[in-house]
Amino acid sequence: MSRKYKILDQTKLYFISFAVVNWIDLFIRNEYRNILLDSLMFCQKKKGLEVFAWCIMTSHMHLIIGTQGNPMEDILRDFKSFTSRNLRIAIEENSTESRKEWLVKMMYEVGLTNRNNRGFQLWQQHNHPIELATNEMIVQRLQYIHFNPVKAGFVSDPEDYLYSSARDYAGEPGLVKIILLD
């Protein structure tokens, strides 16, 4: 892997994106999105994760993050591992999940082809961290994150999307406590 895709400086902000294997639209159910939110808030409280922006889309998540605690790559590893286990359980135990067999089958098939797993893989392996070295980069990624639901046709205005920090930047309370960027 190229060094440009590693977190080299823990004092910097990073734009991170990660997706469900095969870009499966998993996060169409509140109970699945809530697992991500709960884990994100846990990482803030217990691991020193600083969240400056976030957005959960149907198949992926975007973040602008920093840290005042554990290294970001460790936090992300733990976040993805925890959410993968808990989402698998939630899918398997969800009696109303019409796609249950297909979802589990797809994730086991991908997991079996990856020697880093034990037969199940929910998240794609990479996070593609991008160090936000300039204010211009920060503004560009912040707008990208917040306009993602608009571009997807979910809402007309970024702040109308509940599963995003755009609400916070519009002066409305969001679901996750964030640090506002100037």
Side-chain angles (χ1 to χ4, degrees), residues 19-102:
V20 176
V21 295
N22 296 329
W23 291 88
I24 295 170
D25 286 325
L26 181 61
F27 304 113
I28 59 172
R29 300 190 188 284
N30 289 339
E31 58 264 35
Y32 301 156
R33 289 186 292 236
N34 289 338
I35 289 170
L36 295 183
L37 294 175
D38 291 344
S39 184
L40 192 62
M41 290 184 278
F42 176 85
C43 290
Q44 287 177 297
K45 290 177 187 167
K46 301 294 185 180
K47 296 181 179 280
L49 180 68
E50 297 177 321
V51 178
F52 296 88
W54 64 277
C55 182
I56 300 172
M57 297 297 288
T58 59
S59 63
H60 60 286
M61 183 171 195
H62 298 294
L63 298 163
I64 294 178
I65 59 171
T67 185
Q68 289 294 322
N70 297 330
M72 279 183 263
E73 58 272 16
D74 292 352
I75 296 170
L76 290 169
R77 178 200 61 221
D78 294 349
F79 175 86
K80 288 173 75 173
S81 176
F82 177 83
T83 56
S84 178
R85 284 191 309 275
N86 283 277
L87 285 163
R88 180 180 51 112
I89 292 166
I91 293 164
E92 290 174 344
E93 293 180 354
N94 188 340
S95 61
T96 63
E97 178 57 79
S98 60
R99 309 167 303 154
K100 182 187 318 191
E101 289 179 27
W102 176 79

Side-chain angles (χ1 to χ4, degrees), residues 15-19 60-63 80 126-129 144-145:
F15 171 78
I16 307 281
S17 291
F18 44 90
H60 60 286
M61 183 171 195
H62 298 294
L63 298 163
K80 288 173 75 173
H126 58 282
N127 300 320
H128 195 89
Y144 175 82
I145 288 172

Side-chain angles (χ1 to χ4, degrees), residues 123-181:
W123 296 111
Q124 294 179 20
Q125 288 298 127
H126 58 282
N127 300 320
H128 195 89
I130 298 172
E131 182 181 312
L132 301 179
T134 67
N135 285 340
E136 182 179 295
M137 290 177 74
I138 292 170
V139 169
Q140 190 274 333
R141 291 312 192 287
L142 187 62
Q143 289 178 345
Y144 175 82
I145 288 172
H146 291 159
F147 277 90
N148 213 290
V150 174
K151 187 176 179 185
F154 299 155
V155 293
S156 297
D157 297 306
E159 61 271 14
D160 293 337
Y161 190 64
L162 184 61
Y163 292 95
S164 166
S165 57
R167 300 172 66 78
D168 297 281
Y169 283 91
E172 300 175 28
L175 297 176
V176 175
K177 186 176 279 191
I178 66 162
I179 301 167
L180 292 172
L181 294 163

